[in-house]
């Protein structure tokens, strides 16, 4: 059972493995992921596309399509409840009420044939015994909270009448409907313009403070991480390779992959220089290399890396990385 | 960040950690092997094809090995697997196989041999009809999709009316008038081409001839709309009834009345493909239209067309059977499964095999085509493809 | 909105005009004339043929015939060549006979296809899905009249009930209740036959449409809200999956005429399909052309209705 019941630990994912069985060999999309989200904390999960971030999020909510997905191992605890052992009806009550999700594509994530008032109101009505009128007032308040101007008039709009940023605000309003403990935001700003992106991030930060929620924020964009994260998990090829506070990750990254990601970020200091790009590409989930999954692209690779995938090395204050080479040599430690 | 770096010898050293890439055909074959219903359909289709060819060989010609038209009145309505009564038959009347595998019909003809002959006829009806429909469909759909925005100008109409008039004169044997008009037409075309090659417009007084009328796309799509207003089976029936009965008429008419779906489909494919980057790139490289159409667009559009053609063959065979049932089918002496079936209906209680054998065979073959076609449609569905 | 309506009505009228021309040409350019249909009949003397040609304007040029024909059609004065009865009256009578068949068949088709298709989609690749898929292919592939005969044999030999025609001969003398029962019974088999093909095709289509929608992002959103799977499927998914069927609803109107030739022939049902068939056999051009024209009107009206319906149900389309 959960080792820390009723503590400030909200979500803990232990050794989660999700495989996909399609045509051909098994794709191990998530291959042993551990992470924790504490109450009122913003946790960022960073990684390139295809590294298993979204699959992890869907597994938490029980939204994976099985088949082709198979939960091959691991446990998820939410506030003391083991989610994989929960009956379907209780899982359903959890979704939307205590864990809510904001998806990547606001363009396609809203149902085109219902008004936004219907869709936000539905999220309220499904979990709470309120009259239609109360639900309507709540909806207006929610839309107001997420910064929709004149929410009374917008209630009867259809999604196609809104801009991308407005739709994402509606999605967030829907997620907020029952004041959940945890919001999982899966790249909510990727499909939006940069200016809108900044607005949405500010909104999420403000809401987190007002409503005392935890946010699990999934992104590939380190700039976004810098803006909102308390704690960061870096994922590569279905596993977490490094974790630590946002400060630790940005100032003293201890895994070659994290370092490479940071190097490929354009900054003021690097003006005029050729930007770094990681050689090669992310391995296909069904054809991962043995040993450390990053070794074929790693500039610090040693023969031992091709044989076994090392465990975490502790750097103190919750900062851990899975690279023995850097741990032993201390390469790059002083550069940051 | 440190600038020291290890040599990248391990990159691209044969280990890419990517799935092996297969050609589209290998992929299709792989998916087909997994779809058992489609595979069964393909298998039955191949067997049917072989049987039809064997049927053509053994029942065709002046003195066939198995004669489907041999009448033996004393042996009528014998059930399947019955032996011939050797004492009442002359030597040349004996069935070549020594047994009536599928029985005999009301004239004592061997149903097995008739079914063999019918296999080829049904196959040709299906293939020729669909071939015509798909041919027209690809031509018109391609024109409409690729050249749809071009306008038909007055001189195009003038040209075609001249051609028709010339044909009319020739038909009515007024050769002088025809020759005269033909000369005028050819001169006009030659003159226009010379102007075009020098990039000159028509001279002022004739400028009105270049007036645009309709767009190609509008013309073709309205034609499709018009054709779709006719209930297809009723139309086929009407035309078949009006024309002299012949197997070729039936094929051609089924073909000429079922091209609209393909046209719309090919047009939609062309419209979306011509906007794609690879076509734009090809055009930017100055590649000719014909090459773009046949090398770049067609290969991408053809697979789903062939799939719907497979389904079309199935429905053409059913249409043929329906026409035979109503008495407008392929006329004797050709045996088709449709007319064996409809001849048998009079004896449904006395000789049920005359109905059930062709009925079940048609069912199996049409089912095979449908299963194969639908299976291939699933396989070519890009949404299904992505998943593997 | 009004402009769109006006434009499509004009477009449809133009199409109708071309349909009338094309069907007229097909009929009149085909070899053979009604006057030659039965050369061995001693009644068809040369004078008789000449009189017929005159009476039906066959001696005039084609475009005059065309104008005369459609003028008569619009005046309702067009008569059949066989019995000189007004065509429109004959068609109306047959139409009323076909109507119950059509209504029952359509109701069966739509009420069976949707539950079957939706359930197949939800239980994709399950036993239910696989068996309904195979059954649909079987029903699509079976020649209609062959299937009809199998059913007739079954019903006649096992249940000993008459199935041919609209009512049992001599039943008119019985009580109303018996007559209604008799009519209903005669309606069952042809309606089922008319519906089978439709069910097979439509349920496949519903399944495909549903599958496509179930894969959409907004269905995942609905699930993430904590809605029950019934609400997810029957509210969020179904509402979207239904949109294309609105267009199909307009297109079933023409089925009133074209779809039933074979079934009405088998069951000796005196409906429109059978009338068309008889008219073709007898080269009764006025009847053929009128039926054709009315079908075209129905097709065009159907597309117009479905365009309008689509605008009503899909909030994304506004004109």
């Amino acid at each position: 059972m959960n080792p820390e019941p009723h503590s400030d630990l909200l979500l803990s994912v232990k050794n989660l493995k999700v495989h996909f069985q399609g045509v051909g060999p098994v794709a191990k999309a998530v291959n042993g992921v551990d992470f924790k989200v504490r109450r009122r904390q913003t946790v960022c999960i960073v990684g390139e596309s295809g590294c298993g971030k979204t699959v992890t999020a869907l597994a938490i909510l029980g939204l994976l399509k099985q088949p082709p997905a198979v939960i091959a191992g691991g446990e998820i605890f939410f506030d003391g409840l083991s989610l994989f052992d929960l009956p379907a009806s209780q899982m359903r009550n959890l979704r939307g009420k205590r864990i809510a999700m904001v998806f990547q594509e606001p363009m396609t994530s809203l149902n085109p044939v219902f008004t936004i008032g219907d869709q936000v109101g539905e999220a309220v009505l499904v979990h709470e015994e309120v009259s239609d009128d109360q639900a309507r007032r709540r909806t207006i308040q929610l839309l107001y909270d997420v910064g929709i101007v004149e929410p009374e008039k917008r209630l009867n709009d259809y999604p196609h009448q809104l801009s991308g940023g407005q739709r994402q605000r509606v999605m967030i309003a829907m997620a907020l409907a029952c004041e959940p403990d945890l919001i999982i935001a899966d790249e909510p700003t990727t499909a939006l313009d940069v200016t809108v992106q900044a607005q949405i991030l500010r909104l999420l930060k403000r809401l987190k403070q007002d409503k005392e929620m935890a946010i699990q924020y999934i992104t590939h964009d380190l700039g976004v991480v810098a803006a909102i994260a308390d704690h960061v998990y870096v994922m590569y090829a279905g596993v977490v390779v490094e974790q630590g506070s946002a400060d630790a990750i940005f100032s003293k990254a201890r895994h070659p992959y994290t370092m490479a990601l940071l190097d490929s970020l354009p900054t003021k200091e690097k003006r005029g220089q050729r930007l770094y790009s990681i050689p090669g590409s992310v391995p296909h989930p069904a054809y991962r290399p043995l040993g450390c999954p990053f070794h074929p692209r790693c500039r610090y690779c040693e023969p031992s890396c091709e044989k076994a995938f090392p465990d975490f090395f502790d750097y103190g204050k919750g900062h851990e990385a899975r690279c023995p080479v850097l741990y032993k040599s201390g390469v790059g430690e002083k550069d940051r | 960040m440190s600038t020291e770096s290890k040599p990248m010898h391990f990159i691209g050293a044969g280990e890419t950690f990517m799935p092996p890439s297969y050609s589209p055909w290998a992929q299709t074959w792989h998916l087909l092997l997994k779809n058992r219903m489609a595979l069964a359909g393909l298998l039955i289709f191949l067997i049917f094809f072989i049987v039809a060819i064997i049927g053509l060989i053994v029942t065709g010609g002046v003195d066939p090995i198995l004669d489907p038209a041999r009448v033996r009145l004393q042996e009528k309505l014998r059930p399947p697997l019955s032996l011939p009564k050797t004492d009442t038959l002359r030597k040349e009347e004996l069935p070549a196989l020594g047994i009536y595998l599928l029985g005999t019909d009301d004239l004592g003809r061997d149903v097995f041999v008739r079914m063999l002959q019918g296999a080829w006829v049904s196959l040709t009806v299906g293939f020729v009809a669909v071939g015509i429909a798909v041919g027209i469909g690809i031509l018109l759909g391609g024109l409409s999709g690729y050249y749809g925005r071009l306008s038909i100008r007055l001189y195009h109409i003038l040209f075609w009316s001249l051609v028709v008039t010339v044909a009319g004169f020739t038909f009515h044997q007024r050769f002088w008038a025809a020759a005269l008009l033909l000369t005028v037409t050819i001169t006009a075309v030659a003159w226009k081409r010379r102007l075009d090659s020098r990039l000159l417009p028509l001279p002022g007084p004739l400028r009105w001839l270049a007036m645009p009328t309709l767009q190609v796309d509008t013309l073709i799509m309205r034609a499709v709309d018009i054709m779709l207003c006719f209930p297809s089976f009723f139309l086929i029936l009407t035309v078949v009834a009006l024309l002299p009965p012949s197997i070729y008429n039936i094929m051609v008419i089924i073909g000429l009345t079922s091209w609209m779906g393909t046209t719309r489909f090919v047009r939609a494919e062309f419209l979306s493909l011509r906007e794609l980057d690879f076509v734009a790139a090809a055009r930017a490289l100055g590649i000719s239209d014909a090459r773009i159409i046949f090398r770049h667009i067609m290969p991408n559009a053809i697979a789903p067309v062939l799939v719907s053609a497979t389904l079309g063959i199935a429905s053409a065979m059913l249409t043929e059977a329906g026409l035979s049932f109503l008495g407008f089918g392929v006329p004797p002496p050709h045996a088709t499964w449709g007319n064996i079936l409809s001849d048998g209906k009079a004896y449904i209680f006395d000789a049920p095999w005359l109905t059930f054998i062709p009925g079940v065979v048609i069912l199996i073959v049409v089912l095979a085509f449908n299963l194969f076609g639908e299976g291939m449609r699933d396989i070519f569905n890009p949404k299904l493809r992505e998943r593997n | 909105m009004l402009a769109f309506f006006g434009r499509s009505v004009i477009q449809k009228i133009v199409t109708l005009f071309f349909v009338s021309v094309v069907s007229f040409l097909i009929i009149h350019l085909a070899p053979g004339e009604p006057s030659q249909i039965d050369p061995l009949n001693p009644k068809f003397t040369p004078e008789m043929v000449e009189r017929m040609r005159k009476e039906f304007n066959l001696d005039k040029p084609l475009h005059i015939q065309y104008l005369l024909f459609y003028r008569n059609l619009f005046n309702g004065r067009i008569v059949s060549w066989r019995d000189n009865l007004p065509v429109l009256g004959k068609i109306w009578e047959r139409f009323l006979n076909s109507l119950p068949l059509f209504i029952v068949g359509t109701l069966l088709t739509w009420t069976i296809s949707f539950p079957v298709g939706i359930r197949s989609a939800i239980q994709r690749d399950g036993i239910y899905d696989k068996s309904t898929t195979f059954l649909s292919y079987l029903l699509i592939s079976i020649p209609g009249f062959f299937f009809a005969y199998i059913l007739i044999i079954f019903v006649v030999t096992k249940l000993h009930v008459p199935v041919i025609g609209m009512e049992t001969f001599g039943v008119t003398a019985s009580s109303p209740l018996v007559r209604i029962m008799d009519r209903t019974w005669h309606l069952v088999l042809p309606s089922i036959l008319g519906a089978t093909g439709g069910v097979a095709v439509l349920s496949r289509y519903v399944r495909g449409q549903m599958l496509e929608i179930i894969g959409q992002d907004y269905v995942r959103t609905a699930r993430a809200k904590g809605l029950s799977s019934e609400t997810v499927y029957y509210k969020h998914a179904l509402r979207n999956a239904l949109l294309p069927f609105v267009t199909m609803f307009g297109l079933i109107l023409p089925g009133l005429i074209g779809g039933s030739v074979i079934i009405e022939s088998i069951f000796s049902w005196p409906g429109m399909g059978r009338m068309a068939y008889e008219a073709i056999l007898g080269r009764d051009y006025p009847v053929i052309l009128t039926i054709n024209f009315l079908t075209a009107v129905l097709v065009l009206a159907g597309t117009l209705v479905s365009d309008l319906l689509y605008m009503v149900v899909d909030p994304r389309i506004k004109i």
Side-chain angles (χ1 to χ4, degrees):
Chain A
M1 268 309 286
N2 194 345
E4 301 175 66
H6 308 295
S7 66
D8 70 337
L9 183 65
L10 187 63
L11 176 78
S12 87
V13 174
K14 290 183 177 166
N15 197 23
L16 179 69
K17 288 182 180 167
V18 183
H19 296 176
F20 284 86
Q21 178 66 66
V23 184
V26 177
K28 298 174 177 174
V30 177
N31 202 11
V33 161
D34 294 81
F35 69 88
K36 294 185 173 102
V37 180
R38 295 178 188 282
R39 288 180 196 278
R40 295 175 293 280
Q41 192 183 34
T42 302
V43 169
C44 273
I45 301 203
V46 197
E48 285 166 278
S49 42
C51 73
K53 300 165 296 186
T54 303
V55 174
T56 309
L58 293 176
I60 296 170
L61 277 169
L63 290 179
L64 283 173
K65 267 191 199 134
Q66 305 182 32
V70 183
I71 308 275
E75 294 172 292
I76 298 175
F77 292 100
F78 178 78
D79 201 17
L81 298 166
S82 170
L83 294 190
F84 290 157
D85 299 331
L86 226 50
S89 61
Q90 284 190 39
M91 191 64 215
R92 186 157 64 69
N93 283 333
L94 216 66
R95 282 201 287 266
K97 187 168 170 61
R98 302 199 59 197
I99 312 176
M101 187 151 176
V102 179
F103 292 98
Q104 181 172 4
E105 284 289 337
M107 298 304 181
T108 54
S109 293
L110 287 169
N111 197 326
V113 299
F114 294 107
T115 62
I116 60 167
D118 279 346
Q119 295 188 56
V120 177
E122 188 182 36
V124 178
L125 283 166
V126 69
H127 292 296
E128 288 176 28
E129 299 277 329
V130 290
S131 68
D132 283 4
D133 192 49
Q134 282 170 307
R136 195 184 121 86
R137 266 181 280 138
R138 264 281 277 290
T139 305
I140 293 173
Q141 180 62 39
L142 283 165
L143 291 177
Y144 177 80
D145 284 349
V146 296
I148 300 256
V149 192
E150 295 187 295
E152 299 87 351
K153 291 184 186 162
R154 291 279 158 187
L155 276 185
N156 295 324
D157 280 1
Y158 286 94
H160 71 273
Q161 292 166 298
L162 307 178
S163 70
Q166 282 174 315
R167 286 188 221 184
Q168 198 57 290
R169 286 172 195 270
V170 172
M171 284 295 292
I172 293 172
M174 219 149 77
L176 288 175
C178 297
E179 309 219 332
D181 301 317
L182 173 67
I183 286 194
I184 301 176
D186 183 7
E187 308 226 14
T189 59
T190 308
L192 303 176
D193 288 345
V194 187
T195 47
V196 183
Q197 180 173 343
Q199 290 170 7
I200 297 281
L201 285 179
R202 229 175 299 140
L203 171 70
L204 279 173
K205 262 173 120 169
R206 198 194 80 216
L207 290 170
K208 184 201 140 202
Q209 235 126 59
D210 293 354
K211 315 255 173 190
E212 305 208 319
M213 307 175 301
I215 296 179
Q216 179 193 332
Y217 196 101
I218 295 168
T219 181
H220 65 268
D221 185 345
L222 283 170
V224 172
V225 178
I228 62 165
D230 298 324
H231 200 86
V232 182
Y233 289 85
V234 181
M235 269 183 84
Y236 182 78
V239 290
V240 174
V241 293
E242 180 164 11
Q243 59 142 320
S245 65
D247 283 348
I249 294 293
F250 280 98
S251 58
K252 34 185 198 286
R254 302 306 299 141
H255 194 280
Y257 177 61
T258 319
M259 291 159 78
L261 276 185
L262 290 166
D263 281 349
S264 48
L265 210 61
T267 59
K268 270 184 195 152
E269 296 86 65
K270 284 185 252 174
R271 179 167 298 187
Q273 293 175 27
R274 180 176 284 269
L275 212 53
Y276 179 73
S277 71
I278 308 176
S281 58
V282 185
H284 186 276
Y287 298 88
R288 293 218 171 108
L290 290 171
C292 170
F294 190 59
H295 85 257
R297 306 170 73 187
C298 178
R299 62 182 115 179
Y300 304 105
C301 174
E302 285 184 353
S304 65
C305 299
E306 295 168 26
K307 296 197 180 66
F309 187 32
D311 209 341
F312 281 107
F313 292 92
D314 196 350
Y315 291 91
K317 290 184 189 165
H319 182 198
E320 294 179 317
R322 294 178 91 159
C323 182
V325 182
L326 294 195
Y327 186 71
K328 279 179 270 172
S329 67
V331 174
E333 190 137 24
K334 303 212 169 52
D335 292 331
R336 290 174 187 280
Chain B
M1 184 65 214
S2 56
T3 45
E4 98 258 49
S5 60
K6 284 192 140 193
M8 294 281 171
H9 66 273
F10 37 79
I11 301 293
E15 283 182 290
T16 51
F17 305 107
M18 283 294 140
S21 61
Y22 298 106
S23 75
W25 290 114
Q27 228 175 354
T28 306
W29 179 243
H30 188 76
L31 286 170
L32 180 64
L33 287 181
K34 294 199 70 123
N35 188 337
R36 264 177 293 167
M37 284 212 263
L39 201 63
L42 179 64
L43 205 70
I44 295 174
F45 164 60
L46 289 177
I47 294 171
F48 164 61
F49 194 73
I50 293 166
V51 167
I53 288 176
I54 293 174
L56 179 71
I57 295 168
V58 298
T59 63
V62 194
D63 187 22
I65 307 167
L66 302 169
D67 188 356
R70 167 69 67 196
V71 174
R72 313 172 186 85
L73 285 175
Q74 63 273 51
E75 292 271 75
K76 68 180 185 185
L77 301 182
R78 303 286 310 273
L81 293 178
S82 53
L83 294 168
K85 291 178 194 134
T86 36
D87 45 338
T88 59
L89 290 174
R90 284 197 306 275
K91 190 163 171 284
E92 70 270 19
E93 285 181 341
L94 283 171
L97 295 175
I99 186 173
Y100 301 118
L101 267 182
L102 302 176
T104 61
D105 65 4
D106 56 317
L107 295 175
R109 292 174 296 190
D110 190 336
V111 175
F112 175 71
V113 179
R114 281 173 64 74
M115 290 295 291
L116 262 185
Q117 189 194 27
W120 177 255
V121 178
S122 299
L123 186 79
T124 5
V125 169
F127 270 81
V128 174
V130 170
I132 293 173
V134 167
I136 299 176
I138 289 181
L139 182 73
L140 291 185
L143 272 178
S144 186
Y146 197 82
Y147 293 111
R149 289 179 208 158
L150 296 185
S151 286
I152 299 169
R153 295 173 189 280
L154 270 184
Y155 54 69
H156 291 127
I157 298 174
L158 194 69
F159 170 75
W160 285 107
S161 9
L162 279 173
V163 169
V164 170
T165 323
V166 168
F169 276 136
T170 319
F171 186 74
H172 288 284
Q173 315 218 323
R174 294 190 195 151
F175 295 113
W176 281 112
L180 185 70
L181 260 184
L182 195 63
T183 328
V184 171
T185 316
I186 291 172
T187 322
V189 171
W191 178 63
K192 176 74 175 77
R193 297 209 115 188
R194 228 175 69 190
L195 284 184
D196 284 348
S197 65
R198 294 180 195 168
L199 299 173
L200 289 174
L202 283 170
L206 289 176
R207 191 84 26 103
W208 58 274
L209 276 175
M211 195 178 84
T213 51
L214 273 177
Q215 287 195 341
V216 174
D217 187 47
T218 318
L219 181 76
I220 292 174
M221 284 302 110
R222 288 296 87 77
V224 168
D225 286 349
I226 290 168
M227 284 302 287
L228 284 176
C229 281
F230 295 99
S232 64
F233 191 73
F234 181 56
L235 179 64
I236 294 172
L237 200 61
T238 313
V239 182
V240 169
L242 292 175
L243 293 178
S246 122
I247 181 169
Y248 303 103
N249 281 343
I250 288 180
M251 297 177 196
V252 172
I253 290 159
I254 295 179
L256 287 180
T257 49
S258 48
W259 50 270
M260 293 80 77
T262 319
T263 304
R264 281 191 163 174
F265 184 80
V266 172
R267 169 177 177 267
E269 286 289 303
F270 267 62
L271 277 180
S272 63
L273 285 168
R274 62 168 286 162
E275 300 304 324
L276 292 188
D277 290 344
F278 69 92
V279 175
R283 213 174 292 145
L285 287 172
I287 292 171
S288 73
D289 280 1
R291 204 175 152 76
I292 290 178
I293 291 174
F294 290 106
R295 293 283 306 158
H296 295 272
I297 297 187
M298 209 59 116
N300 288 292
I302 201 76
V305 171
L306 291 182
V307 168
S308 70
T310 316
L311 302 176
I313 292 173
S315 92
M317 287 170 69
L318 285 183
T319 306
E320 188 270 325
L323 287 174
S324 292
F325 170 78
L326 292 175
F328 292 112
V330 176
H334 283 292
T336 70
W337 294 349
N339 60 28
I340 299 173
L341 177 51
S342 72
D343 289 348
K345 71 182 187 240
Y347 306 94
I348 189 156
F349 289 102
D350 303 325
W353 62 89
L354 287 182
T355 309
F356 277 87
I357 288 168
V360 170
V361 170
I362 293 175
L363 169 62
I364 290 174
V365 171
V366 172
L367 183 65
F369 275 94
N370 278 330
L371 287 178
F372 178 62
E374 290 287 341
M376 290 309 277
R377 174 174 289 172
D378 280 352
I379 287 169
F380 285 122
N381 183 347
K383 277 173 198 149
L384 239 124
R385 268 247 158 140
E386 272 166 26
R387 215 172 290 150
N388 69 327
Chain C
M1 179 77 187
L2 258 180
F4 168 81
F5 187 75
R7 222 174 11 201
S8 28
V9 168
I10 290 171
Q11 199 186 27
K12 306 242 136 106
I13 288 174
V14 173
T15 312
L16 195 60
F17 168 71
F18 279 106
V19 169
S20 71
V21 173
V22 170
S23 52
F24 196 80
L25 284 180
I26 288 178
I27 295 252
H28 282 266
L29 293 183
E33 262 187 24
S35 47
Q36 301 164 350
I37 181 140
D38 205 358
L40 295 177
N41 191 333
K43 272 190 190 164
F44 277 96
T45 55
E47 304 84 68
M48 178 90 175
V49 169
E50 204 42 50
R51 223 189 64 213
M52 254 189 87
R53 283 173 60 89
K54 225 179 196 92
E55 195 173 327
F56 295 120
N57 304 317
L58 289 177
D59 50 347
K60 302 208 172 66
L62 215 51
H63 61 278
I64 305 285
Q65 285 189 42
Y66 173 84
L67 288 177
L68 286 173
F69 177 82
Y70 282 97
R71 198 192 66 196
N72 285 343
L73 179 62
F74 286 117
N75 291 340
R77 285 211 310 256
I78 195 99
V79 291
S80 161
W81 285 354
R82 307 219 82 188
D83 45 18
N84 266 327
L85 290 173
V87 171
L88 289 178
K90 276 177 76 159
I91 289 183
W92 178 247
E93 187 189 314
R94 295 299 191 101
F95 170 78
L96 289 181
N97 287 343
S98 276
L99 202 58
L101 207 56
F102 170 75
I103 292 175
V104 176
T106 309
L107 281 180
L108 278 178
T109 308
W110 287 68
T111 46
I112 296 173
S113 307
F114 274 86
V116 169
I118 292 168
R119 191 161 163 211
S120 288
I122 292 174
Q123 304 179 0
R124 183 184 188 174
D125 292 337
I127 293 172
Y128 181 85
D129 181 29
K130 287 209 163 132
S131 42
T132 49
T133 301
F134 189 75
L135 197 65
S136 322
Y137 286 140
L138 208 65
L139 290 178
I140 293 172
S141 308
I142 197 164
F145 55 97
F146 175 55
F147 191 40
Y149 278 119
I150 295 178
L151 280 187
I152 290 175
I153 289 178
F154 176 78
V155 168
V156 170
T157 55
K158 299 279 179 224
L159 305 175
H160 307 287
V161 227
V163 287
I164 304 297
M166 271 174 63
E167 53 188 20
T168 310
F169 184 71
V171 82
T172 29
S174 316
S175 71
L177 186 69
V178 174
R179 283 188 63 191
I180 290 172
M181 295 271 288
D182 187 62
R183 285 295 279 263
T184 316
W185 175 245
H186 278 87
L187 199 59
V188 170
L189 215 49
S191 321
I192 289 179
L193 271 169
T196 42
V199 170
V201 175
L202 197 63
S203 66
R204 298 294 302 159
Y205 195 43
V206 172
R207 174 184 179 270
Q209 198 58 38
M210 229 12 219
L211 275 182
E212 171 141 7
I213 300 293
I214 287 175
Q216 297 287 330
D217 285 352
Y218 51 79
V219 172
R220 195 177 57 184
T221 308
R223 238 189 273 266
K225 273 192 225 175
L227 298 174
S228 64
S229 48
E230 288 78 41
T231 319
V232 172
Y233 288 130
Y234 292 99
K235 183 178 169 193
H236 284 264
L238 188 57
R239 181 72 194 273
N240 282 280
L242 283 180
L243 293 181
F245 294 99
V246 171
T247 37
M248 286 183 76
F249 213 78
L251 297 179
I252 57 175
L253 277 179
L256 254 173
I257 295 175
S260 47
V261 179
I262 287 182
I263 288 173
E264 291 188 354
S265 309
I266 294 172
F267 289 93
S268 308
W269 192 275
M272 292 196 65
R274 192 166 163 74
M275 178 190 204
Y277 174 56
E278 284 161 359
I280 290 170
L281 273 182
R283 303 218 167 174
D284 197 345
Y285 291 178
V287 176
I288 300 177
L289 282 175
T290 311
I291 290 180
N292 217 324
F293 188 79
L294 292 179
T295 315
V297 171
L298 282 181
V299 172
L300 294 171
T303 47
L304 189 65
V305 168
S306 50
D307 284 353
L308 294 177
L309 277 178
Y310 210 94
M311 281 197 291
V312 175
V313 292
D314 192 340
R316 282 166 293 189
I317 298 174
K318 283 280 179 298
I319 295 169

